Amino acid sequence: MTKRINAKYKIDRRLGANIWGRPKSPINKRDYGPGQHGQARGKLSDYGVQLRAKQKLRGYYGNIGERQFRRYYQEATRRRGNTGEILIQLLERRLDAVVYRMKFAPTVFAARQVVNHGHVLVNGKRVNIPSYQVRDGDTIELRSKAKQMTAVLVSVELAERDVPDYITVDHKEMKGVFVRTPALSDVPYPVLMEPNLVIEFYSR
């Protein structure tokens, strides 16, 4: 667990932003990058701005691998509509992201672990694939043992974030519904996310 926490805080410092809005983030005290050259930040080029936007979005969803993230971009371009908005929708439909939004885990990294360990049911069936795409109307529930886990009970009480209105959840039953596909403006990012720059990065 220590490695996960260190990696998460390194992401914050490398990107110069508290991307999850956590009060313990080191960026709150040191708003510069890690390492001996961390404070020597110059002006970013257009490419650098686009790359930073991509790293921020990738990092927010648990540092998704580049190959998988590119697949989300390719799927978003294949569909009709605003590509940046569709990219966000695909990311928000990830099962680990939904578990995180429902506050069943304190971080998206912990949410991925909860899913990996088989603690989550989707429409009554166990799903242990974090990237599983949840559909509108799907019911997500924790299995009986997971409902009593200390980390889950603590996470539910965290006041640092709220459940967005495109999800309903009953924290007594540890059960919720992915009600509808969110628009970009519905997603409660603590920092500005710019999916349009991510699209520009890949379409160069």
Side-chain angles (χ1 to χ4, degrees), residues 3-198:
K3 287 182 181 178
R4 287 175 177 272
I5 290 171
N6 286 342
K8 176 182 56 170
Y9 287 160
K10 276 183 182 177
I11 291 169
D12 269 2
R13 291 197 63 202
R14 188 173 71 240
L15 297 177
N18 184 0
I19 63 174
W20 295 283
R22 303 214 73 198
K24 291 184 179 180
S25 173
I27 203 69
N28 296 335
K29 294 181 180 178
R30 294 171 292 177
D31 60 345
Y32 50 86
Q36 60 179 330
H37 304 297
Q39 297 186 57
R41 279 192 171 147
K43 186 178 180 182
L44 292 173
S45 63
D46 289 346
Y47 171 83
V49 170
Q50 294 165 359
L51 177 62
R52 179 66 55 85
K54 185 198 73 159
Q55 290 173 328
K56 201 189 298 183
L57 199 58
R58 264 186 64 200
Y60 182 85
Y61 288 96
N63 223 14
I64 297 171
E66 175 60 30
R67 186 180 298 177
Q68 187 177 37
F69 196 75
R70 182 180 283 272
R71 283 202 296 266
Y72 284 122
Y73 159 74
Q74 291 168 341
E75 177 62 23
T77 57
R78 195 180 63 80
R79 300 187 184 189
R80 287 187 178 181
N82 183 303
T83 306
E85 188 109 355
I86 295 168
L87 175 63
I88 295 299
Q89 292 169 357
L90 291 170
L91 293 168
E92 280 296 302
R93 286 179 178 276
R94 284 177 59 95
L95 182 56
D96 56 359
V98 175
V99 168
Y100 175 64
R101 292 285 181 228
M102 289 181 168
K103 297 180 70 173
F104 292 159
T107 68
V108 70
F109 296 95
R112 184 175 298 168
Q113 202 169 32
V114 167
V115 176
N116 272 329
H117 290 179
H119 294 310
V120 179
L121 304 174
V122 179
N123 298 327
K125 295 181 180 179
R126 189 174 73 153
V127 178
N128 61 0
I129 303 169
S131 61
Y132 176 88
Q133 289 281 291
V134 175
R135 292 174 293 186
D136 292 4
D138 278 356
T139 299
I140 290 84
E141 181 179 8
L142 294 183
R143 298 180 74 192
S144 298
K145 286 184 179 179
K147 292 179 181 181
Q148 305 304 318
M149 288 167 56
T150 303
V152 172
L153 297 173
V154 169
S155 178
V156 164
E157 298 300 324
L158 286 175
E160 62 193 45
R161 57 193 171 91
D162 298 318
V163 177
D165 61 8
Y166 51 90
I167 289 171
T168 61
V169 62
D170 181 344
H171 284 139
K172 287 185 179 179
E173 297 292 327
M174 296 296 183
K175 186 176 185 177
V177 176
F178 187 86
V179 179
R180 61 176 176 83
T181 306
L184 173 59
S185 58
D186 295 328
V187 183
Y189 293 122
V191 297
L192 177 66
M193 292 294 181
E194 300 168 292
N196 57 309
L197 294 180
V198 180

